[in-house]
Amino acid sequence: MMEDFSYALPQTGSAAPLTPRDERASLLVVADRMEAADLEPVANAAGLRLLGVTPLADAPVRLDLQAQCDTVLLVCPTLTPLLERLLVQLETQAIQNGMAVILVAGLETIDLAFACLRSPHSQLLCDPDRTELAAALVAAGEHRPAAGQVHEVDREGARLQQLSEEVGRLARTLDALTERTRMAAPSFDLGPRISDRPSDYIGMPALAPIGAPAGALTPTTDKAASTITATQVRDLLRARRIRADFLPGDLFADPAWDMMLDLLAARLEHERVSVSSLCIAAAVPPTTALRWIRTLTDKGLVERQADPHDGRRVFIALAQEATDALTRWFGASRRLLAN
């Protein structure tokens, strides 16, 4: 029989147990007046490892020194002198390193943040609630692009379905974390309404005409366009808005259509429309409006136009084909109503 030559090691002290390596994707938060403890539940629900919270003033150095970071969440609700430089640095690193970026802006900073967006995978939110923020974090973690690669934009139907599933899943997770029995009731408030007068329109002041002069859209639509006025387009928008006075407003939310009509009216008025004013015109939460602006841009229905006087701002305008299509629609609908 073989002898047992194994010996027990002498107990010289109790060794601390090894902590398993955290393999989750990392999250760095750049924000002022925000505590890590407030973000920990959201980060955990999104499956991310929180690296910490860095003030905006320290962010440029922290981003340069950070060896590896999968996702950066930048909260910038107010304008600061260094914000533009920080946004450009962040977007540049996102493209170079494949880092996912989530920008949380306010109405004061949404135009600057939108103008600085360069990576097609960066997400822009505006005053989101906790569920929207968690859904954005999940999307960033699951769909982070590889460094230096350009990915094809997902089909919109699949993307919206995925977003809906993510929001639902995160809502259930957050409920469990905070021991809530139910989510808060949804709001039927659709936000500010379109002004009754063009001069009250919350957009940019009238500037030089965009593209062709009024009434000269294309050779095929000149005659039809000459019969359409901005007042008629805004009357249609107001008629759509007053439905909420009689029926629950969330039954008829149609932000893409409202935005396109508003852009058509602005074009007929020779006005340029900023991102912030278009979000107001959509009459939905601003984060929802931003998603639709990106969708309409991806589909070629609207386009970005740089402000020649201010590089920190871009305008949104109808593409020519979309203008022609809306003009033909107005003509066709009038014939139907006339009969």
Side-chain angles (χ1 to χ4, degrees):
M1 185 178 67
M2 296 183 61
E3 296 182 5
D4 184 3
F5 290 100
S6 62
Y7 296 92
L9 293 175
Q11 300 295 322
T12 59
S14 58
L18 294 177
T19 302
R21 180 181 176 86
D22 194 337
E23 300 292 343
R24 294 178 298 172
S26 58
L27 167 67
L28 175 64
V29 177
V30 177
D32 294 330
R33 298 184 300 276
M34 186 171 289
E35 299 295 333
D38 298 330
L39 290 167
E40 197 76 46
V42 180
N44 289 334
L48 297 174
R49 173 170 51 93
L50 183 61
L51 298 177
V53 179
T54 299
L56 269 69
D58 301 333
V61 175
R62 175 66 185 270
L63 289 171
D64 285 337
L65 296 178
Q66 185 69 46
Q68 180 182 359
C69 184
D70 298 305
T71 302
V72 171
L73 168 64
L74 171 60
V75 182
C76 51
T78 57
L79 284 172
T80 63
L82 298 179
L83 181 57
E84 180 183 1
R85 194 180 80 172
L86 176 59
L87 289 170
V88 171
Q89 176 187 0
L90 192 56
E91 284 294 291
T92 301
Q93 289 185 228
I95 294 173
Q96 292 175 344
N97 305 331
M99 183 172 61
V101 173
I102 302 172
L103 302 178
V104 178
L107 285 178
E108 182 181 337
T109 57
I110 189 173
D111 291 303
L112 174 60
F114 188 88
C116 291
L117 284 178
R118 291 295 179 267
S119 171
H121 300 278
S122 292
Q123 301 179 69
L124 177 58
L125 312 179
C126 184
D127 298 328
D129 59 28
R130 190 169 60 170
T131 301
E132 290 174 327
L133 179 58
L137 289 169
V138 166
E142 293 182 352
H143 308 292
R144 187 170 60 90
Q149 293 183 354
V150 178
H151 291 260
E152 213 178 283
V153 178
D154 297 334
R155 292 183 181 275
E156 184 57 27
R159 191 182 70 82
L160 291 178
Q161 177 63 29
Q162 183 181 53
L163 180 64
S164 176
E165 293 171 357
E166 287 167 353
V167 171
R169 177 157 57 91
L170 262 297
R172 292 190 295 272
T173 303
L174 290 172
D175 280 346
L177 286 172
T178 56
E179 298 181 355
R180 291 183 299 176
T181 58
R182 62 183 177 86
M183 294 294 293
S187 172
F188 290 143
D189 182 13
L190 293 183
R193 297 185 179 182
I194 299 299
S195 169
D196 289 337
R197 294 176 296 164
S199 59
D200 290 335
Y201 172 66
I202 308 176
M204 302 308 302
L207 299 174
I210 302 175
L217 303 176
T218 65
T220 59
T221 59
D222 281 347
K223 184 176 180 180
S226 63
T227 63
I228 300 174
T229 67
T231 300
Q232 291 169 330
V233 178
R234 295 200 184 280
D235 283 344
L236 178 59
L237 280 166
R238 284 192 293 272
R240 291 167 58 78
R241 288 288 180 269
I242 63 174
R243 292 180 306 194
D245 293 337
F246 304 95
L247 295 165
D250 64 333
L251 295 176
F252 305 104
D254 197 357
W257 184 241
D258 286 346
M259 280 192 259
M260 292 181 69
L261 289 177
D262 192 78
L263 289 171
L264 177 62
R267 176 164 182 151
L268 292 170
E269 294 168 341
H270 296 172
E271 286 188 351
R272 287 173 172 164
V273 181
S274 65
V275 175
S276 55
S277 62
L278 188 57
C279 287
I280 293 174
V284 292
T287 292
T288 302
L290 287 168
R291 287 200 298 265
W292 278 106
I293 291 174
R294 170 163 276 188
T295 298
L296 293 173
T297 304
D298 292 342
K299 291 181 176 296
L301 295 172
V302 304
E303 56 191 17
R304 297 163 57 113
Q305 293 184 338
D307 184 349
H309 306 295
D310 188 348
R312 299 170 299 175
R313 183 171 59 190
V314 297
F315 299 111
I316 304 297
L318 276 180
Q320 186 61 56
E321 290 186 3
T323 302
D324 296 343
L326 282 174
T327 301
R328 292 193 297 270
W329 174 84
F330 263 95
S333 62
R334 281 181 179 177
R335 289 193 296 271
L336 290 174
L337 292 174
N339 294 331

